Amino acid sequence: MSAGIGKTRIVLLGPPGAGKGTQATAIVDAKGVPHISTGDMLRAAVKAGTPIGKKAKAVMDAGELVSDEIVIGIAEERLGQADAQKGFLLDGFPRTLAQAEALERLLEKLGTPLDCCLALTVDNEAVVQRLLKRAQIEGRADDNEATIRERMRVYDSQTAPLLGFYRERRKLIEVSGMGTIEAVGQRIREALG
Ligand code: ADP
């Protein structure tokens, strides 16, 4: 049993621009579990100029995926920390089948199997438009049209197969990510219990 209410060991999945970051914040506030974002951790490593950050920067700026080896290492270290024992929201990890398999093995070893994979479903063109808008506001280095389209392509080829992976394991919950932040948030609360 999880310590919190409803599902507390969660993978959040969705294409770039699906609103994962926004919804993740609301979920972790409600559940009291840590928000584990490999994107945030990698950006922090880039900013701090660590060896991992130096390796990851060019790859991230191009919209490609950082190596499985690096992100699995980061995620394992973070999930092994004490605060993740009560649950966690994984955001941006896993992103490949190899990462999903590594996560299954790790959680089995820790004795804390995943409760669910919550997948936000969106219209691809709508999210490209959302991201272009965010690019103007935030100026993230990987938010320009070519990179955004590349991140979409990478999502479709590398990450979308995880939907089948979690469906087979009866852990997939799909929620529409279209509509207002509040409407999506309400659907997620109902799905997570
Ligand atoms: P998005 O805004 O597309 O949701 P994130 O903030 O999660 O992206 O991640 C930004 C970038 O960091 C990705 O495009 C990728 O280069 C890298 N990254 C983050 N998580 C992973 C991962 N699990 N595997 C490989 N690369 C990752």
Side-chain angles (χ1 to χ4, degrees):
M1 277 284 280
S2 308
I5 302 159
K7 296 177 169 42
T8 51
R9 294 193 292 264
I10 307 160
V11 162
L12 184 60
L13 196 67
K20 287 197 303 288
T22 308
Q23 298 299 341
T25 307
I27 296 169
V28 297
D29 282 353
K31 298 273 179 188
V33 296
H35 178 193
I36 303 183
S37 159
T38 44
D40 285 351
M41 288 191 279
L42 288 167
R43 277 186 290 276
V46 169
K47 206 167 159 204
T50 67
I52 283 178
K54 285 186 180 134
K55 265 195 201 164
K57 185 176 186 330
V59 181
M60 291 172 72
D61 286 350
E64 309 292 338
L65 293 185
V66 174
S67 76
D68 285 337
E69 195 194 343
I70 287 180
V71 289
I72 290 168
I74 295 181
E76 288 201 353
E77 196 192 323
R78 183 65 189 84
L79 283 165
Q81 289 170 18
D83 64 344
Q85 295 314 297
K86 63 182 175 213
F88 49 79
L89 181 77
L90 281 168
D91 168 7
F93 179 89
R95 248 183 171 88
T96 64
L97 281 174
Q99 292 176 20
E101 280 156 7
L103 177 65
E104 291 274 296
R105 283 194 297 273
L106 172 70
L107 294 180
E108 194 175 318
K109 206 168 70 191
L110 295 171
T112 53
L114 203 65
D115 287 326
C116 68
C117 168
L118 182 80
L120 291 178
T121 58
V122 290
D123 171 70
N124 271 17
E125 201 43 42
V127 296
V128 169
Q129 294 311 318
R130 269 191 201 174
L131 286 170
L132 289 172
K133 208 166 130 194
R134 184 174 83 185
Q136 288 174 338
I137 299 165
E138 290 179 14
R140 236 172 73 171
D142 60 354
D143 266 351
N144 58 70
E145 183 156 5
T147 311
I148 288 167
R149 297 226 178 254
E150 178 59 15
R151 276 155 61 208
M152 280 298 195
R153 196 192 60 75
V154 169
Y155 177 84
D156 285 339
S157 66
Q158 306 268 83
T159 309
L162 299 190
L163 295 170
F165 179 90
Y166 288 114
R167 192 178 291 121
E168 272 172 25
R169 287 163 178 71
R170 303 190 162 281
K171 292 202 169 159
L172 183 69
I173 303 177
E174 289 183 281
V175 166
S176 167
M178 301 306 292
T180 64
I181 291 175
E182 291 72 24
V184 177
Q186 178 61 29
R187 281 176 218 137
I188 290 176
R189 278 193 296 282
E190 280 162 18
L192 294 180

